[in-house]
Amino acid sequence: MPRFYVTTPIYYVNDVPHLGHAYTTVVADTLARFHRLRGDDVRMLTGTDEHGQKIEEAAEAKGMAPKAFVDAASEVFQRTFAKKPNELLTEPDDFIRTTEPRHVAVVQDLWLRCQRAGFIYEGQYEGLYCVGCEAYYTEKELEPAPPGSSEGPSCPIHKKPVSKVREPSFFFRLSAFQDRLLAFYERHPGFISPESRRNEVMSFVKAGLQDLSVSRTSFAWGIPVPDAPKHVMYVWFDALTNYLSALGDPKRPEATPTLGGAPLARYWPCDLHLVGKDILRFHTIYWPAFLMAAGFADEQLPKKVFVHGWLTINGQKMSKSLRNTVEPRKLAEVFGADVVRYYLLREVAFGQDGDFSHAQLVARYNAELADTLGNLLNRTLGLCTKLRKDAPTLDATAGRGPLEDKLEEAAKLALAGASAAFEEVAPHRAIDSIWALARAANKYVDESAPWAEAKKGEAGAARVDAILATSLEVLRWLSVLVWPAMPTVSDKLRAQLGLPALEAPSGREGTDQTALSFARAFATDKLALGTPIFPKIDAERQEQIFAELGVAKAAPEPEAPKKGAASKEPKKKEMAEPAAEITFDEFTRLDLRVGTVLSAERVPKSDKLLKLMVDVGEPAPRQIVAGIGKSFAPEALVGQQVTVVANLKPAKLMGLESRGMVLAAGGDGEGDLALVQPARGRVIGTRVK
Ligand code: MSP
């Protein structure tokens, strides 16, 4: 029976929900919805991480008792992500809090199992600790203090001096798991994704693991260590266990789940932990090691940890001091939750760092939502009303031709592409595939020109019906495909198409609603052309929105070059003899387009050639064979925007067809090429002029 258990990290309650938290939660929810639509038995978990020194200090700063503080703070996260209806339309099946008895019981049980197996022992800890990370550091991992400063070295993430800790502590024998972890990573290459993160973790583990201090005595806000009341558990031992404790029976907190226990057996092992890159090691080293120590066999360990990058806001690091942490609630109020979800999923190749830019959100809204999907719906329904107002059904059978065959092919490609991408945790690629279909359908309406067929009277009637029925059918497919990312947009599309809203409940198996067949006839008696789902945002409205959100109008000034930095300026290259002059008209014959690399692999027997699949805004991606393999690892190119010469005559390179060229700057292709990319993300297919 197909099951899918997906988790987000549990959020520290010393902060309020911000866009970084929303990002992971929206991706988890979209993947969960995709699996629900497929008929899988799904469970999605999120929650709050409420213990530890950081939280104790935050409560103290507010003059509150820790429990009262975490209760209030967790409530804000629950309102944002869990309670219905919430601001981002996320529907987790459970929201775990680490202060709940059901969690505490399971953590203490896991501890005892590790201890009984001889992997937890008592000692004395002396070392460096960052409260912000709730993590131990070695001297070499820290940033040195500036010369002459009296402060010690700083945490590389929080940029604050770490504290020296010396206290009695229990230790987890992490060093005993080095070989077993490495063997596990080897046998389960999909455990850590993307590949680059897997390599990072493997080199870290290969360099040797030290035992980990897993209890503290200098503060009290944590889960007590069994039989050692002075100690509270290290917050990561406590927090990671949420993925397991949430599967316990909430009505019987004393009944700690065992591998034979019903809820645990149903969803465990977890299919997917989504985590940010800052918490990679905790999830890929500590977590499997804790479970191994407690007696979990390899096949009982989580199946995948997918690591995503960090978002910056309008080019700047998100931080409370810069007052630029974007509140998801405000964005959703202004743009609507579906639009925020779409943008989060679409803008950044999941896995990489990316930027959240308000201007780019508006650009994508206008180009991709209003002009592409919204336009397709409005014009199709408009044409139905104008050309075939009273027809109860439209049948494509008699008037069907090659254009319909092509569009049906594009629909099948989009469905297959989106499904594969969702399964591969690449929501941005899923959206790419879906929007390729919406663009193809708009192009189809242009090319098939039903208004011209209508002018032919009887002779054109069958074609008119075929075109309208086919366009409506594609819209029906799109209403299914967009549901995981934009559930209420799907409802609105379907309402205008006269179809019931989709329902795909969690926690049980259902039918596969993505198994679509391309129908030849469409009932039109319930069509209801409504107000545009995505009214265009013009410059004036944009200005209003930005004022409401407090977004600065102009992009931040680039930093002035520092004194004495001249030597760091890029070197100038002597310009070789310029090529022969061309006229402007000749230049415009070049069709240069912004594209996104969807996949990249080496061409066998060539160290220079890479086979790329690039989306340049056409119904299907293009295969381009590029001579850039000495400068880039294939995986580094995936998700990158590139400039493509789109009207270059196709050529064959080492037997492979290449349709276009990717522009790069640099000498001779011997390893020093730089991609020519738009300085800010652009909509795919944008012309470069
Ligand atoms: N409590 C721990 C996780 C324990 S999981 C057993 C924690 N909490 S956190 O609230 O600090 O971070 C939660 C998640 O938000 C992390 O995955 C982190 O990477 C993510 N993000 C925080 N800021 C972010 C951005 N600016 N961009 C994207 N994600 C970011 O760590």
Side-chain angles (χ1 to χ4, degrees):
M1 195 192 289
R3 301 233 166 85
F4 184 68
Y5 175 32
V6 58
T7 67
T8 74
I10 48 172
Y11 303 115
Y12 283 132
V13 285
N14 63 324
D15 209 343
V16 290
H18 60 59
L19 207 69
H21 307 130
Y23 185 47
T24 331
T25 319
V26 163
V27 172
D29 183 71
T30 302
L31 297 174
R33 281 175 184 273
F34 165 73
H35 281 270
R36 280 156 55 188
L37 208 53
R38 274 239 311 239
D40 297 347
D41 175 3
V42 172
R43 188 155 181 110
M44 173 186 159
L45 174 69
T46 190
T48 39
D49 191 352
E50 306 183 4
H51 287 129
Q53 192 173 353
K54 176 155 72 175
I55 308 298
E56 191 179 80
E57 286 175 7
E60 218 169 76
K62 283 214 159 174
M64 287 170 85
K67 183 66 170 72
F69 173 80
V70 298
D71 283 350
S74 174
E75 174 60 27
V76 182
F77 278 91
Q78 290 175 49
R79 274 206 311 269
T80 309
F81 297 130
K83 294 204 168 139
K84 273 198 200 169
N86 67 50
E87 292 134 23
L88 289 163
L89 304 169
T90 51
E91 286 183 10
D93 299 291
D94 196 357
F95 188 100
I96 182 104
R97 299 184 53 192
T98 55
T99 47
E100 288 176 84
R102 61 167 172 160
H103 172 74
V104 173
V106 177
V107 177
Q108 288 181 328
D109 175 67
L110 191 79
W111 175 285
L112 285 174
R113 285 199 262 168
C114 293
Q115 197 171 31
R116 280 189 209 119
F119 293 112
I120 288 181
Y121 62 92
E122 228 173 327
Q124 175 86 9
Y125 181 74
E126 200 173 336
L128 303 162
Y129 193 77
C130 169
V131 180
C133 297
E134 295 281 14
Y136 302 98
Y137 278 98
T138 61
E139 201 76 60
K140 32 177 219 280
E141 290 169 323
L142 298 173
E143 289 181 356
S149 131
S150 58
E151 289 181 335
S154 293
C155 160
I157 294 174
H158 293 88
K159 314 285 175 202
K160 288 192 185 143
V162 291
S163 32
K164 277 211 169 98
V165 177
R166 191 186 144 82
E167 59 190 47
S169 171
F170 283 93
F171 284 84
F172 177 78
R173 216 178 282 284
L174 188 61
S175 56
F177 291 91
Q178 180 173 355
D179 293 343
R180 193 165 155 199
L181 282 169
L182 287 170
F184 176 69
Y185 304 145
E186 288 291 354
R187 272 199 306 275
H188 299 87
F191 174 64
I192 308 170
S193 269
E195 177 83 19
S196 55
R197 298 291 174 194
R198 175 171 185 261
N199 296 339
E200 189 183 324
V201 171
M202 289 193 58
S203 340
F204 185 84
V205 175
K206 276 183 191 152
L209 294 175
Q210 285 176 7
D211 289 353
L212 183 70
S213 160
V214 282
S215 77
R216 302 286 305 271
T217 44
S218 51
F219 65 91
W221 186 238
I223 297 185
V225 168
D227 307 321
K230 285 210 179 91
H231 291 254
V232 292
M233 285 184 205
Y234 174 41
V235 66
W236 277 98
F237 190 93
D238 159 354
L240 286 160
T241 310
N242 87 88
Y243 303 129
L244 202 56
S245 64
L247 299 181
D249 184 348
K251 289 184 207 80
R252 294 185 307 130
E254 76 286 359
T256 50
T258 63
L259 284 172
L264 192 59
R266 179 150 161 214
Y267 294 107
W268 193 262
C270 180
D271 294 276
L272 181 63
H273 292 313
L274 293 177
V275 302
K277 62 182 182 180
D278 51 322
I279 54 175
L280 163 71
R281 287 184 199 171
F282 301 101
H283 284 82
T284 55
I285 302 174
Y286 297 178
W287 180 223
F290 294 157
L291 292 171
M292 285 171 180
F296 285 55
D298 282 9
E299 61 283 3
Q300 294 168 328
L301 299 178
K303 292 188 198 147
K304 187 185 275 303
V305 177
F306 196 103
V307 186
H308 67 74
W310 270 41
L311 293 181
T312 48
I313 302 290
N314 298 321
Q316 290 180 310
K317 192 170 179 293
M318 214 187 294
S319 87
K320 275 195 215 162
S321 53
L322 286 172
R323 293 170 172 275
N324 66 351
T325 48
V326 175
E327 275 183 60
R329 183 178 51 87
K330 283 199 183 152
L331 280 178
E333 264 167 29
V334 174
F335 293 104
D338 294 78
V339 175
V340 180
R341 291 170 64 106
Y342 174 83
Y343 181 68
L344 287 174
L345 294 164
R346 175 68 187 78
E347 180 63 30
V348 185
F350 195 63
Q352 299 185 7
D353 289 336
D355 188 43
F356 180 98
S357 134
H358 292 83
Q360 181 67 358
L361 193 166
V362 173
R364 282 200 188 278
Y365 173 92
N366 280 334
E368 295 164 18
L369 298 179
D371 289 351
T372 306
L373 185 58
N375 181 38
L376 181 67
L377 179 72
N378 297 341
R379 71 195 299 211
T380 304
L381 293 191
L383 284 165
C384 288
T385 317
K386 197 161 161 213
L387 305 178
R388 292 294 270 122
K389 191 163 186 314
D390 297 316
T393 38
L394 292 167
D395 199 320
T397 323
R400 200 178 148 100
L403 285 179
E404 286 68 36
D405 292 343
K406 207 169 120 192
L407 190 61
E408 184 174 335
E409 247 345 277
K412 288 179 178 158
L413 205 73
L415 173 61
S419 303
F422 278 132
E423 268 178 48
E424 288 159 24
V425 197
H428 58 289
R429 276 205 279 122
I431 302 262
D432 271 353
S433 294
I434 300 166
W435 258 256
L437 175 60
R439 281 192 301 269
N442 272 317
K443 198 164 159 216
Y444 162 79
V445 177
D446 295 340
E447 284 176 0
S448 59
W451 47 88
E453 297 295 338
K455 285 199 184 127
K456 296 180 193 161
E458 253 324 282
R463 277 298 292 147
V464 171
D465 281 13
I467 298 164
L468 297 180
T470 308
S471 309
L472 289 166
E473 181 60 2
V474 167
L475 276 163
R476 182 177 77 90
W477 278 47
L478 286 168
S479 73
V480 176
L481 289 171
V482 301
W483 188 79
M486 300 202 291
T488 55
V489 162
S490 165
D491 293 352
K492 287 181 192 163
L493 276 174
R494 294 178 70 84
Q496 297 206 17
L497 293 170
L499 301 167
L502 294 172
E503 283 193 36
S506 217
R508 66 172 136 104
E509 241 193 311
T511 51
D512 182 357
Q513 299 181 65
T514 67
L516 295 165
S517 63
F518 204 88
R520 295 279 157 102
F522 204 99
T524 47
D525 51 334
K526 292 202 187 69
L527 290 188
L529 178 59
T531 47
I533 298 180
F534 303 113
K536 216 45 194 273
I537 299 179
D538 60 15
E540 201 181 318
R541 175 79 188 116
Q542 170 167 337
E543 208 165 301
Q544 263 174 12
I545 290 178
F546 284 13
E548 252 171 80
L549 293 171
V551 180
K553 248 193 252 157
E557 287 292 318
E559 255 183 57
K562 292 195 182 72
K563 273 190 194 152
S567 60
K568 287 206 181 128
E569 269 180 23
K571 283 190 202 132
K572 281 191 188 151
K573 199 164 185 168
E574 284 286 299
M575 187 164 160
E577 192 59 24
E581 232 168 42
I582 56 167
T583 64
F584 182 67
D585 282 350
E586 280 168 324
F587 169 71
T588 55
R589 289 180 56 207
L590 267 181
D591 189 2
L592 300 176
R593 300 275 169 173
V594 174
T596 293
V597 180
L598 303 181
S599 66
E601 58 188 77
R602 293 203 174 272
V603 171
K605 300 202 189 101
S606 167
D607 54 354
K608 203 165 158 190
L609 293 182
L610 297 182
K611 186 177 99 179
L612 312 176
M613 295 308 288
V614 184
D615 183 355
V616 287
E618 297 164 318
R622 285 181 179 221
Q623 175 169 300
I624 298 180
V625 181
I628 55 176
K630 287 198 175 169
S631 303
F632 303 98
E635 59 275 14
L637 291 170
V638 177
Q640 294 275 356
Q641 288 215 321
V642 287
T643 309
V644 173
V645 185
N647 61 340
L648 194 68
K649 201 167 171 190
K652 272 208 165 164
L653 293 166
M654 297 197 61
L656 293 170
E657 181 173 62
S658 179
R659 295 181 50 235
M661 186 173 132
V662 168
L663 294 187
D668 44 14
E670 292 302 313
D672 63 345
L673 290 171
L675 293 174
V676 176
Q677 297 178 299
R680 280 190 297 120
R682 297 277 85 179
V683 172
I684 288 177
T686 302
R687 189 127 190 224
V688 180
K689 305 189 271 204

